[in-house]
Amino acid sequence: MILTVTMNPSVDISYPIPEFKLDDVNRVAAVRKTAGGKGLNVARVIKQLGENVLATGVLGGTIGDYIIQELTKAEIENNFLKINQESRNCIAILHDGKQTEILESGPTLTAEDGSAFLAKYETLLSNVSLVTISGSLPKGLASSFYRSMVEKGRDKGIPVIVDTSGESLRQVLLHNVKPFAIKPNITELTQLLGREVEQSISSLSQALEDDMFQGIEWIVVSMGGAGAFVKHGSDFYRVTIPPIDVVNPVGSGDATVAGLAVALKHKQPAPVVLKTAMTTGMLNTMEAATGHINTAYFSRFFELVNVEKI
Ligand code: ADP
C-alpha cells in the first residue's frame, strides 16, 4: 500500500463565468466542487492505476467532512487527523478565457496538532511500503516538518517521495537523511539554487551535481511538454515525450508523482519507472478533470516515451 500525505487539503470550487463583471453580481449555475490538494491528486491517480492507496493529512470542519466523503466515494481509503478548525476552499473563476484564483490559506495548526499528526503518521507507516508527500505545509508548522517525516520513513526503511517547494523543500534537502525521490520543476530548481537553471543538459546536470542533491536516489526534473531530465544514483537520463493534445495540464506533476510511486513500489527498472511517470503525467494533461487519467491509453503513450541514458 502507498501512503499519500496532504497536509493542507482543500475543496476546489470552479465557477465558470464567461463574462465576469467586477464590482457587480455574477450568478453561476455550473459549479464544480472537488476534493483538492496535490496529495489527493496523487492518491486518485494511484487508485486509477489499480494500486492500493491510503490518503492521510490534516483536515477539519464541514469542508473536511466533504473531502472525506469525496474520497470515500472514489473508494480511496483515508485516515486523516481531524482538527477543530475548518479546512479551506480554493476558488477558480473561469472567465473571458482566463482563470482567476482565490486561494484560502487554510487553518493555522498548533504544535499539538503537529505532534498528533506525526504520531498518526508513524502508526500508518507500519502498513505501507512507500510514502508520497505533496504540497505546501499549513501555517503553524515549522518548515522542518517534512524533514521529520522523511526521517521517520527512513528509520522504518520506507522510501519517501517529496514534491514540495520553497523553504520546506530546502529543509528536506539540507538534512543528512535524504528523501528517496523528489520531482522539482525548473522553476523550483532555480529557486532552490538561487541561480537560473536552463533546460539544457549541461545546465541541468550541473545543477543536479550540487551538494544538496547528493544521496537522493531519484531526482526527476519535470519539464512539461519537454518531458524530464533525471538523475538516478550517478546516472543521468533525458526523457522525451510525444506531442499531445493538452486539455488541462493542472495536476500533471501530481500524476507524474503517482506514476513514479507505483513503478518504484514495484521496483521496476529505471527506464520503466521513467516511462510510467511520464505517461501518467501526459494522460493527466489529456483530461479535463485534475488528477485524473484514462488508463485505457496507458500502453499506447508508454510506448511513445523515449528514455536516453546520457
Ligand atoms: P509541474 O506541474 O509539477 O510543473 P510539469 O508541468 O513538468 O509538472 O508536468 C509533469 C509531466 O506531465 C511532464 O513531465 C509530462 O510528462 C506531462 N506534461 C505536462 N505538460 C505537458 C504538455 N504540455 N505536453 C505533454 N506532456 C505534458
Side-chain angles (χ1 to χ4, degrees), residues 38 163 183 185 188 222-225 227-228 241-242 244 246 249 251-254 256 277-279 281-282 285:
K38 287 166 70 67
D163 183 19
K183 192 221 65 65
N185 56 30
E188 287 157 356
S222 69
M223 304 190 296
I241 57 179
I244 51 172
V246 174
S252 35
D254 306 331
T256 300
M278 287 298 99
T279 304
M282 282 190 286
T285 70

Side-chain angles (χ1 to χ4, degrees), residues 205-218:
S205 42
Q206 199 189 354
L208 299 191
E209 293 289 10
D210 193 278
D211 274 354
M212 75 168 83
F213 300 116
Q214 301 315 307
I216 305 174
E217 195 67 25
W218 287 92

